[in-house]
Amino acid sequence: MDAIQYVHQQLNTKTQNKYPEFRAGDNIIVAYRIVEGDKVRIQDYKGDVIQISGAQQSKSFTVRKISNGVGVERIFPYACPNIDNITVVKKGRVRRAKLFYLRSMIGKKARIKELRIFK
Amino acid sequence: MNGLIGKKVGMTSIYDASGKNIACTVIEMGPNVVTQVKSTDSDGYNALQIAYGEAKAKRTTKALTGHFEKAGTTPKKKLIEIKDPKISKNLGEEINIEEYFKVGDTIKAVGTSKGKGFQGVVKRHNFGGVGQQTHGQHNRLRAPGSVGASSYPSKVFKGMRMAGRMGGDQVKIKNLKVVNIFPEKNLIVIKGAIPGHKGSFVIIEK
């Protein structure tokens, strides 16, 4: 695996540590670069992280949001060069690494409690 | 065969400038050693015999040990011949990746595919199976169907595609592209998949 890791390091000029740290349950905004012809615009996608999966080059995260009453999930690879920026809006208090149970919940039940740290 | 010998390291994916994800195979290709130079005078044709992959000395036959000693190298596992080579090398000299390939080259890869064991016709020969899933059908879903006619020819023709051992064959993949070369680590990155398991020998032809 050493050789594979070496290839990653050489070919990935974009480092994975550029984004702020976030976990499953966090509410984040992903600024995604969209190329339309020769114009580039940035679209924000805001939602809850329901899973982080994979490792190294294939590491990805899934963001779920409710759009017009319909649940939408989008998978972003960490290494994707089209991700412009990630902002963590809220830290969530969850007890699981994969929050698939949210799919079967609607309305108030589908909320994630905010993690508050008192000093 | 007109290429160099390498070892499959594994697969990875990289992103190109437009943000497209490209699946790539990484191949370790250390210097290939020339173990014999064949010429029209001595052998009737021009060729370079090259070797790669360290072998255990105690597992190498005495005949081969002598052959490798003549070239001044250690015993090797894999030997191939390059017919009518475009590069001229002497006995015992090494061929590096850079001398043979450059980024953007169209190449072919030859390897031994992964063994799949005893497989039915649907997986092995892409048959469609027989009939439907419903309408009273119960046990013919992945069956091969008829294998021939009746009283004439009264036999099953040779080469009829049936179930059997699948995989473990020599497979050549054409039209692959060299994405990158790392001479300092003897690595070559190729777009697409290449037959064989990790650690298996592959021959990259130009």
Side-chain angles (χ1 to χ4, degrees):
Chain A
M1 282 307 278
D2 265 1
I4 295 268
Q5 271 171 12
Y6 181 78
V7 171
H8 286 165
Q9 280 167 13
Q10 296 298 309
L11 296 181
N12 273 355
T13 46
K14 196 181 162 105
T15 53
Q16 294 191 2
N17 302 328
K18 213 186 86 180
Y19 308 129
E21 206 181 303
F22 59 87
R23 299 171 61 184
D26 293 356
N27 193 273
I28 62 166
I29 298 173
V30 182
Y32 196 77
R33 219 176 286 130
I34 293 170
V35 184
E36 285 167 338
D38 50 353
K39 267 194 286 182
V40 178
R41 70 187 173 89
I42 287 167
Q43 194 183 56
D44 283 355
Y45 183 91
K46 187 185 174 189
D48 298 325
V49 180
I50 63 164
Q51 74 162 332
I52 294 173
S53 72
Q56 290 169 31
Q57 191 69 358
S58 58
K59 197 177 176 184
S60 65
F61 58 93
T62 308
V63 183
R64 180 180 168 88
K65 73 165 178 182
I66 308 293
S67 175
N68 297 329
V70 183
V72 179
E73 277 176 26
R74 205 163 155 188
I75 302 165
F76 296 98
Y78 269 87
C80 180
N82 283 337
I83 298 177
D84 196 61
N85 198 7
I86 295 173
T87 337
V88 180
V89 183
K90 253 192 264 176
K91 287 261 166 199
R93 198 191 81 87
V94 288
R95 299 164 77 155
R96 276 158 190 62
K98 319 271 177 192
L99 310 178
F100 301 139
Y101 67 87
L102 287 175
R103 289 172 180 163
S104 57
M105 292 185 176
I106 46 165
K108 283 188 175 178
K109 276 214 159 165
R111 288 178 303 180
I112 296 170
K113 235 182 178 179
E114 194 179 348
L115 179 73
R116 289 169 187 238
I117 300 157
F118 299 105
K119 278 178 187 156
Chain B
M1 289 192 196
N2 202 343
L4 298 184
I5 314 164
K7 252 184 190 177
K8 188 166 160 180
V9 175
M11 287 192 76
T12 180
S13 73
I14 58 164
Y15 289 87
D16 68 358
S18 61
K20 234 181 182 181
N21 193 345
I22 305 167
C24 294
T25 311
V26 181
I27 283 167
E28 188 184 22
M29 199 181 264
N32 284 206
V33 186
V34 177
T35 46
Q36 195 179 351
V37 181
K38 294 190 172 178
S39 64
T40 12
D41 305 331
S42 55
D43 305 278
Y45 63 100
N46 285 317
L48 283 180
Q49 189 192 67
I50 54 169
Y52 181 65
E54 290 304 314
K56 274 186 184 166
K58 74 171 184 184
R59 294 222 183 270
T60 315
T61 58
K62 276 182 182 158
L64 269 176
T65 310
H67 182 70
F68 289 120
E69 264 174 16
K70 220 171 162 188
T73 177
T74 50
K76 297 278 187 283
K77 262 187 185 165
K78 182 90 179 169
L79 290 159
I80 60 160
E81 256 182 31
I82 307 177
K83 263 192 180 177
D84 299 319
K86 283 161 197 148
I87 42 174
S88 60
K89 288 275 175 185
N90 293 326
L91 189 66
E93 281 187 329
E94 290 178 341
I95 311 172
N96 293 311
I97 325 175
E98 281 170 302
E99 293 176 62
Y100 221 85
F101 302 106
K102 57 179 188 296
V103 176
D105 277 354
T106 304
I107 52 150
K108 298 166 198 160
V110 185
T112 309
S113 63
K114 279 183 185 173
K116 303 280 190 294
F118 191 99
Q119 294 297 334
V121 287
V122 174
K123 190 182 173 84
R124 195 177 181 217
H125 299 298
N126 297 324
F127 280 18
V130 172
Q132 296 164 300
Q133 251 176 332
T134 54
H135 289 285
Q137 139 88 334
H138 71 113
N139 61 358
R140 306 274 299 152
L141 204 59
R142 296 178 73 92
S146 166
V147 292
S150 183
S151 58
Y152 179 79
S154 290
K155 64 171 181 176
V156 175
F157 289 119
K158 268 192 177 176
M160 182 61 63
R161 293 174 297 167
M162 290 182 181
R165 285 274 181 100
M166 186 185 170
D169 309 316
Q170 181 176 300
V171 179
K172 182 188 243 177
I173 309 279
K174 291 178 184 173
N175 276 324
L176 296 166
K177 283 248 160 55
V178 177
V179 177
N180 223 319
I181 293 172
F182 298 109
E184 68 279 9
K185 289 259 180 185
N186 295 319
L187 296 175
I188 180 165
V189 183
I190 291 160
K191 183 182 172 181
I194 283 172
H197 56 83
K198 286 177 195 168
S200 67
F201 285 111
V202 284
I203 295 150
I204 308 295
E205 299 179 15
K206 224 176 162 178

